């Protein structure tokens, strides 16, 4: 766990240790780690990654290597609440990225953006130039299409480390970004944050669901309407699997509590 976040409790959800705390508290812990200039990576995990980890031991290991796994998605937040952590807040990738970018701009903390297609990264660069003109961006990089389980790339790691970035935003999508971070983090003296599609939300290429849909746990439906071909199979499989495994997880939790 993060050295500067001993006050952040973690709770096991589907076998992974998930941060259970307030959004700002978790964000501050990530910033503290970034300021320390030590290697670390943060996974933003909702139903899809947690379901995938149940079936793929290598991916589970990638998640477990993170300094912190934060709860992206209302189902994960609800599971934490049902385990007794009702004050826990959702930490969605786009919200976390926006919060960290704002704080990094205020502190002059150097940041690096790695991932996305070239046109997506260009749109993000233009958007941030307007919303965060003083943000200290020390690198923009759109890599060629990587395999789902990318191998260690020493040149890329050296390039990012040489930039002195303290926050490295990784937008490669799940599971690619989790594997990538797990294999490159040790070679970079900064904190990597895997934020998936947040590049496109921050640039305005994709629109977030209305707050009411988000609070009801229906953001997945809004995204499905936006990108049906890409997301239909994922949601059918992993949302269903998450519900099943979460139910078993909660039954086990409640049984242990009753015996205690």
């Amino acid at each position: 766990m993060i050295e500067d976040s001993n006050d952040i409790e973690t709770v096991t959800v589907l076998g992974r240790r998930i941060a259970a705390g307030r959004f700002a508290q978790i964000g501050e812990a990530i910033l503290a780690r970034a300021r320390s200039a030590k290697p670390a990576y943060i996974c933003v995990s909702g139903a899809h990654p947690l379901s995938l980890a149940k079936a793929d031991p290598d991916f589970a290991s990638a998640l477990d290597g993170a300094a912190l796994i934060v709860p992206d998605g209302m189902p994960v937040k609800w599971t934490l609440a049902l385990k007794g952590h009702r004050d826990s807040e959702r930490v969605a990738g786009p919200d976390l990225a926006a919060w960290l970018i704002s704080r990094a701009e205020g502190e002059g903390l150097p940041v690096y953006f790695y991932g996305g297609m070239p046109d997506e990264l260009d749109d993000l660069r233009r958007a941030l130039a307007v919303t965060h003109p003083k943000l200290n961006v020390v690198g923009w990089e759109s890599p060629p299409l990587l395999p789902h389980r990318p191998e260690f790339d020493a040149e890329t790691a050296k390039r990012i480390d040489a930039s002195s970035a303290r926050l490295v935003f990784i937008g490669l999508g799940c599971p690619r970004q989790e594997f990538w971070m797990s294999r490159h983090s040790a070679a970079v003296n900064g904190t990597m944050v895997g934020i998936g599609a947040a590049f496109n939300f921050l640039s305005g290429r994709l629109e977030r669901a209305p707050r009411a849909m988000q609070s009801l746990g229906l953001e997945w439906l809004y995204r499905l309407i936006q990108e049906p071909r890409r997301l239909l199979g994922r949601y059918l499989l992993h949302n269903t699997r998450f519900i099943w495994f979460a139910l078993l997880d909660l039954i086990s939790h409640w049984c242990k509590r009753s015996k205690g």
Side-chain angles (χ1 to χ4, degrees):
M1 290 297 105
I2 298 177
E3 294 176 0
D4 301 289
S5 61
N6 294 329
D7 55 338
I8 295 182
E9 189 172 359
T10 60
V11 178
T12 301
V13 176
L14 273 65
R16 314 275 72 80
R17 301 292 297 180
I18 308 298
R22 297 288 189 178
F23 181 101
Q25 178 192 26
I26 292 170
E28 291 291 353
I30 295 171
L31 275 179
R33 185 66 176 195
R35 295 186 198 104
S36 75
K38 295 178 182 179
Y41 64 96
I42 311 298
C43 290
V44 179
S45 297
H48 174 212
L50 295 179
S51 166
L52 183 58
K54 295 292 289 185
D56 186 336
D58 289 339
F59 183 71
S61 179
L63 287 185
D64 291 341
L68 205 62
I69 306 173
V70 303
D72 178 14
M74 293 302 290
V76 183
K77 175 188 179 303
W78 292 333
T79 304
L80 291 171
L82 289 169
K83 288 193 170 188
H85 297 267
R86 293 179 175 81
D87 292 335
S88 296
E89 295 180 341
R90 179 190 181 195
V91 185
D95 295 331
L96 178 62
W99 191 92
L100 290 172
I101 286 169
S102 180
R103 290 294 302 273
E105 180 185 33
E107 297 184 19
L109 206 63
V111 303
Y112 198 109
F113 293 91
Y114 182 87
M117 300 295 289
D119 59 327
E120 295 173 339
L121 211 57
D122 286 343
D123 284 349
L124 178 61
R125 188 199 306 251
R126 284 191 287 268
L128 292 180
V130 174
T131 58
H132 299 283
K134 296 182 180 180
L135 183 65
N136 182 16
V137 183
V138 294
W140 302 90
E141 189 168 347
S142 173
L145 184 62
L146 299 172
H148 275 68
R149 301 168 188 259
E151 296 299 325
F152 176 67
D153 182 343
E155 290 186 6
T156 297
K158 184 177 180 180
R159 187 164 55 248
I160 295 174
D161 189 51
S163 75
S164 297
R166 293 296 171 257
L167 276 172
V168 185
F169 295 103
I170 309 296
L172 298 174
C174 176
R176 190 177 285 112
Q177 66 193 13
E178 288 79 9
F179 281 122
W180 194 94
M181 291 190 297
S182 72
R183 291 165 185 174
H184 292 81
S185 175
V188 176
N189 291 305
T191 297
M192 298 177 177
V193 187
I195 54 174
F199 282 19
N200 287 334
F201 288 115
L202 292 170
S203 69
R205 289 173 69 106
L206 287 176
E207 183 181 351
R208 293 290 301 278
R211 286 290 179 184
M213 290 189 73
Q214 292 184 41
S215 63
L216 291 171
L218 294 175
E219 188 165 14
W220 67 271
L221 179 59
Y222 195 84
R223 289 199 62 195
L224 179 60
I225 293 170
Q226 291 180 305
E227 302 179 90
R229 293 181 62 184
R230 188 174 77 86
L231 297 176
L232 179 60
R234 175 197 295 186
Y235 287 156
L236 282 176
L237 174 62
H238 290 292
N239 285 15
T240 304
R241 281 168 52 90
F242 179 87
I243 292 170
W244 170 247
F245 285 123
L247 179 60
L248 295 177
D249 191 3
L250 287 168
I251 291 172
S252 174
H253 171 76
W254 291 327
C255 287
K256 289 178 181 177
R257 285 187 61 182
S258 65
K259 290 179 181 178

